[in-house]
Amino acid sequence: MIGALSLTRFRELLQRRLGWTVADNDPGQTAAVLAARAKAHGLTDREYLDRLAGRRWTAEIAELAQALSITETYFFRHDEQFRVLRDTVLPELLRKRAGQRVLRLFSVGCSSGEEAYSLAITAWPARPSPDWIISVVGVDANREMLHRARAATYSPWSLRDTPEEVRRRWFRETGDGFRVHPDIVATVRFVEHNVAGDDPQLWHPPRYDVIFCRNLLMYLTAEVADGLVRRMTQALTDGGYLFLGHTDSLGSHPKGLELCHDGGTVYYRRQTAAPPVPAPEPAPAPAREPPPDRPAPAAGTRSRAIGLLRDDRFAEALGLLGPDDMLLRGVLLAQLGRVAEARDTAHRLIDVGGPHPDAHHLLGVCHELDCADQAAGQYRLAAYLDPEFAMPRLRMGLLARRHGDHRGAAAHLASALELLPHEDEERVVLFGGGFGRLTLTTLCRTELEACEVRG
């Protein structure tokens, strides 16, 4: 029999370790979980609580999260929020991200994965062209739910609010349910994470264009909920969107967020920071090469700028650079949407040093916005100048796919797939659109398989 003192202590430990509140009006379930977990370790309830309080016990915290989680969910739950996402939010974000062709979405408290896959199913067909990368991350503390999410197979009951046309397009019927389409599965990554703690890599600002965190805040202590809202706000890109559950409210003036209304749905938009006033460009030197007494940029400064680029902090990275590191400068200008300046920088790099594969690749990236033929020509030149350069082959493959040339796309993508494992790491950072080698390889393989199917 679990006593009142042990039950109170257990609730306090759950608040401390998981950040959860446990309702006083449901002592039966909480006491049953405490008794079962103590018995599983061959301990009395007091010994179990002493061990839980005394040191980090990660595996047991995961077991408690699994035993106490409320896991009821289904695809397109509260469909009005997905309608706003599809009709209002995504069109705006796709315009803003045209230079990068990347969208990142985040499902916090994803349970068995239905919400994360619903986000991917909504965003994937909205892509203006196949070379866009859609990335969805789902996090939860319940390992069993994450295992089900990764399996990506669901009962008909999980699809009870899924429109029939969506079910036909994005699910494959199996003997015991429905499996999510492979393109959507490849888009979503699941991570075990306890929202009571921090993870600088997961929450590094500004990373996500859209965050869904629905029906979770009400189960957290006030301190943990406030910390989670703060991390979500900071992790949103400027103008990014936060969707909460109908029972969650941040008030009419939440810090760093704007309240939005659409069709009876309330959601939030990250306030856009005022753009920094750019420093005046130095006048170009008349000589073709820098004067011999001009100091080279410090290695530490360039390394910091590369790190900021990796974290999508383009304006900060650009502010660190002098005029000499023209390639990195051009890449950052392109990421900031200053395409004309990026193009001029690439031409200056070629004027000073002659044909340069990375500069021609950068020109290809710039020309994709106005002339696909010129972009393809620059990519071909970059690949010719450096036969080991994977990135222009990947871009040529995606361009060919966009224009229906599946045979040509397959040839370029196959070459890129062969070269990507050996691609220079800095080139991956410069030209990978914020994604690493593994994600780019997955994209390449998925597009190649699609070419072979359609060819």
Side-chain angles (χ1 to χ4, degrees):
M1 182 70 178
I2 301 297
L5 185 61
S6 290
L7 197 57
T8 299
R9 189 180 178 203
F10 187 41
R11 289 196 185 101
E12 292 172 350
L13 287 171
L14 289 174
Q15 291 184 10
R16 191 190 315 167
R17 295 289 188 247
L18 285 166
W20 290 358
T21 59
V22 180
D24 291 336
N25 60 5
D26 188 20
Q29 182 196 9
T30 309
V33 169
L34 171 56
R37 295 312 304 161
K39 182 178 180 180
H41 293 284
L43 302 171
T44 66
D45 57 310
R46 180 174 180 178
E47 291 169 336
Y48 174 80
L49 292 170
D50 286 343
R51 184 174 177 187
L52 191 62
R55 61 183 177 85
R56 187 177 179 87
W57 199 1
T58 304
E60 184 60 18
I61 294 300
E63 292 290 340
L64 289 172
Q66 181 174 320
L68 291 164
S69 293
I70 298 173
T71 58
E72 168 62 17
T73 186
Y74 50 88
F75 284 91
F76 299 99
R77 187 178 186 181
H78 304 313
D79 66 323
E80 66 277 6
Q81 292 187 319
F82 286 97
R83 177 188 53 76
V84 169
L85 176 67
R86 182 190 67 235
D87 296 342
T88 302
V89 169
L90 287 177
E92 176 190 325
L93 292 174
L94 291 168
R95 287 192 297 272
K96 289 173 58 178
R97 295 283 176 266
Q100 300 151 9
R101 293 182 175 82
V102 175
L103 277 184
R104 296 184 177 93
L105 302 93
F106 196 12
S107 171
V108 182
C110 67
S111 188
S112 47
E114 288 92 333
E115 179 179 271
Y117 287 128
S118 297
L119 289 173
I121 290 170
T122 304
W124 182 267
R127 299 174 304 157
S129 60
D131 60 333
W132 277 73
I133 296 174
I134 304 296
S135 169
V136 181
V137 175
V139 298
D140 204 278
N142 188 326
R143 288 181 181 175
E144 175 59 28
M145 290 298 104
L146 292 175
H147 177 74
R148 295 185 194 179
R150 294 183 182 111
T153 300
Y154 296 90
S155 70
W157 184 242
S158 290
L159 278 73
R160 59 187 181 272
D161 267 10
T162 303
E164 184 58 34
E165 63 275 15
V166 173
R167 183 184 302 203
R168 287 196 304 268
R169 183 175 182 185
W170 298 113
F171 295 86
R172 302 293 179 266
E173 195 163 0
T174 65
D176 55 353
F178 294 85
R179 178 164 178 78
V180 182
H181 191 286
D183 285 348
I184 300 301
V185 174
T187 297
V188 183
R189 177 170 64 97
F190 292 102
V191 178
E192 183 180 333
H193 174 64
N194 177 2
V195 296
D198 196 8
D199 182 337
Q201 185 64 28
L202 190 66
W203 292 104
H204 201 300
R207 176 151 298 176
Y208 304 104
D209 299 293
V210 176
I211 297 178
F212 269 49
C213 178
R214 305 186 300 170
N215 307 308
L216 174 62
L217 295 179
M218 62 182 175
Y219 297 111
L220 304 177
T221 65
E223 181 182 359
V224 171
D226 289 346
L228 176 58
V229 170
R230 184 173 59 253
R231 285 195 295 274
M232 289 191 296
T233 302
Q234 293 170 347
L236 281 170
T237 57
D238 283 349
Y241 289 88
L242 172 64
F243 288 81
L244 301 178
H246 294 319
T247 58
D248 302 317
S249 173
L250 304 182
S252 57
H253 298 288
K255 185 176 180 180
L257 298 168
E258 302 170 8
L259 186 66
C260 304
H261 299 268
D262 190 334
T265 295
V266 174
Y267 55 104
Y268 302 88
R269 185 176 187 269
R270 173 73 187 269
Q271 292 174 342
T272 303
V277 178
E281 289 283 348
R288 290 174 64 83
E289 295 187 10
D293 59 344
R294 178 181 292 173
T301 298
R302 189 175 197 280
S303 177
R304 290 198 300 275
I306 290 284
L308 290 168
L309 167 62
R310 195 190 300 268
D311 292 331
D312 294 350
R313 296 160 69 181
F314 309 125
E316 293 176 62
L318 186 62
L320 290 178
L321 295 179
D324 294 335
D325 198 336
M326 287 190 283
L327 178 63
L328 179 52
R329 185 178 183 81
V331 168
L332 290 167
L333 287 167
Q335 291 283 15
L336 287 166
R338 295 159 62 179
V339 177
E341 294 172 78
R343 192 177 299 163
D344 289 345
T345 303
H347 281 299
R348 287 172 55 200
L349 182 58
I350 294 167
D351 289 344
V352 169
H356 189 302
D358 297 71
H360 285 291
H361 184 89
L362 175 57
L363 282 173
V365 172
C366 294
H367 280 301
E368 278 200 41
L369 295 174
D370 55 30
C371 182
D373 289 342
Q374 288 193 48
Q378 293 294 337
Y379 292 141
R380 281 195 297 271
L381 184 52
Y384 171 79
L385 291 170
D386 185 352
E388 303 301 313
F389 195 0
M391 305 307 288
R393 289 165 173 81
L394 175 56
R395 300 305 306 183
M396 282 190 287
L398 295 174
L399 273 176
R401 272 270 285 137
R402 193 192 309 172
H403 291 88
D405 179 11
H406 301 298
R407 181 171 296 180
H412 292 308
L413 291 167
S415 178
L417 193 59
E418 182 179 346
L419 293 172
L420 268 171
H422 314 289
E423 181 68 284
D424 179 76
E425 181 61 31
E426 185 170 295
R427 278 175 162 171
V428 172
V429 176
L430 291 177
F431 301 119
F435 288 90
R437 193 184 311 271
L438 179 60
T439 302
L440 293 171
T441 301
T442 300
L443 169 68
C444 191
R445 185 176 290 113
T446 300
E447 295 296 320
L448 182 58
E449 290 172 356
C451 289
E452 291 171 348
V453 167
R454 298 185 185 186

